[in-house]
Amino acid sequence: MIIGVPKEIKNNEYRVAITPDGVKELCARGNKVYIENNAGLGSGFSNAEYEDMGAEILYSPKELFEKSEIIYKVKELFPEEFDYLKEGQIIFTYIHSNAFREQTDALLEKKVVGIAYEDITDKNNEFPLLKPMSEIAGKGGFLMAVQCVQKINGGNGLMLADVCGVKKAEIVVIGAGNSGLGAAELAASLGNKVTVMDINTVKLERAKEVLPKGVEFLYSNKKNIEDCIKKSDVLINCILWPKHRTDHLITRDMLKLMKPNSLIVDVSCDEGGAIETCRSTSHDNPVYSEGGIIHYCVDNIPSAFSQTATTSLCNATLPYLIEIASKGVRKALCENEHLRRGLTCYDGVLTLEETGLKQKRPYSSPEEVLNIV
Ligand SMILES: NC(=O)c1ccc[n+]([C@@H]2O[C@H](COP(=O)([O-])OP(=O)(O)OC[C@H]3O[C@@H](n4cnc5c(N)ncnc54)[C@H](O)[C@@H]3O)[C@@H](O)[C@H]2O)c1
């Protein structure tokens, strides 16, 4: 099939959907790959590296969309890209249709096949295309904390590493999922005092198996949270907060319990979610102070680690793209129930219940639109 990889246009987005190695895999299977001029530069990959692996560089995004049967991307589509879409085209990217209403309109009007990374599942009912970015967000969130607590950056002047004769810094990680494990692994490996909290005891047991000795594991309840935030120098929120919840785990009032000028890194970045005082920030202006506590709430942490993130994302998404390109999209969707879970829209019909309910739109199941009985 013909696959087009556009340059990402979101502010501060340096990732790209494919590595040069990925191009080689696609071309070896008889596919044609177009890469937009300099699409990989932000991740350290030049046009020449893609060309060496068999890709052709195109200089206009319009031409790339026109010539491609599959658009392989990282982020959602932006209004300037909507006009380029054509009927039957396959859009394979993080779509987040429930968050971007205008994009959902465009995908339905243009009758494209939208397959969203974030909704594809695996045999454990987990989300294999969210996992790699969560791990990087958790690890990256800790690395950002290393900078934010430095005096020269407005912090309390701590080094988040073991120094002989000095009390260890206290890092509290809430949520023992993909991002929480990433943050805790790095924090513990540098010799900090790390506490990991979760409400799921199976997750805590799994975390205990993989994290270094010395990490403390605590059930996440109100009392334990209060005790932990009193002692923490850095609190890293890695919870997947349910969209319907309107309460908070850490309220504005609870910030008074924390050490003055200590740090919250909100990897989850749900505005008004688990952390009441969280509002999304960008890499240009990543922190703000509220209630005497520094907040770091960047919602695309992986972009700061673009080469690593691009490679990890491509490793995870490419097998699905190869399946789509080899079988054709309909056959791939019919035969692979996990890929089918990612189907957002097909031939002008919304197929994601969550978006249908949130945006009050009609929707059908993927099985209905594909006539799978
Ligand atoms: N900022 C970024 O750039 C970025 C990048 C990737 C992911 N994320 C976000 O990070 C968040 C976490 O992603 P993940 O893949 O690690 O999720 P995950 O599902 O792997 O882990 C979430 C964990 O939170 C736990 N949890 C739920 N309620 C809790 C509570 N009250 N107390 C303690 N633990 C609780 C769950 O049991 C689970 O173990 C998501 O919101 C995701 O969108 C942010």
Side-chain angles (χ1 to χ4, degrees), residues 315-328:
N315 289 344
T317 58
L318 194 64
Y320 297 93
L321 180 67
I322 288 173
E323 187 173 348
I324 295 166
S326 310
K327 294 180 177 173

Side-chain angles (χ1 to χ4, degrees), residues 130-131 133-134 137 174-180 197-200 203 220 225 238-242 245 249 266-270 298-302:
L130 280 180
K131 192 175 174 186
M133 293 306 98
S134 290
I174 312 184
N178 302 313
S179 53
M197 311 181 79
D198 204 297
I199 46 169
N200 182 333
K203 288 285 185 86
S220 172
I225 296 259
C238 295
I239 294 177
L240 188 60
W241 194 246
R245 278 185 73 164
L249 203 66
D266 196 351
V267 171
S268 303
C269 230
D270 296 313
V298 172
D299 62 8
N300 63 338
I301 296 173

Side-chain angles (χ1 to χ4, degrees), residues 161-215:
D162 189 26
V163 173
C164 184
V166 181
K167 192 170 175 292
K168 292 172 190 284
E170 295 259 6
I171 318 280
V172 173
V173 179
I174 312 184
N178 302 313
S179 53
L181 281 183
E185 182 193 328
L186 273 197
S189 66
L190 287 183
N192 298 288
K193 170 88 183 70
V194 179
T195 305
V196 176
M197 311 181 79
D198 204 297
I199 46 169
N200 182 333
T201 47
V202 176
K203 288 285 185 86
L204 282 179
E205 279 161 17
R206 248 196 254 167
K208 195 171 178 182
E209 281 168 20
V210 296
L211 291 174
K213 284 204 176 351
V215 174

Side-chain angles (χ1 to χ4, degrees), residues 146 149-150 157-163 169 192:
V146 169
V149 296
Q150 293 175 29
L158 293 174
M159 177 178 275
L160 300 187
D162 189 26
V163 173
N192 298 288

Side-chain angles (χ1 to χ4, degrees), residues 96-127:
H96 294 294
S97 56
N98 56 349
F100 304 110
R101 192 182 183 100
E102 237 188 302
Q103 178 195 227
T104 311
D105 288 338
L107 296 174
L108 294 173
E109 268 164 33
K110 297 284 183 156
K111 295 190 170 177
V112 299
V113 180
I115 304 178
Y117 295 165
E118 68 272 15
D119 294 312
I120 291 174
T121 51
D122 63 17
K123 60 181 180 347
N124 301 320
N125 231 4
E126 291 178 351
F127 299 95

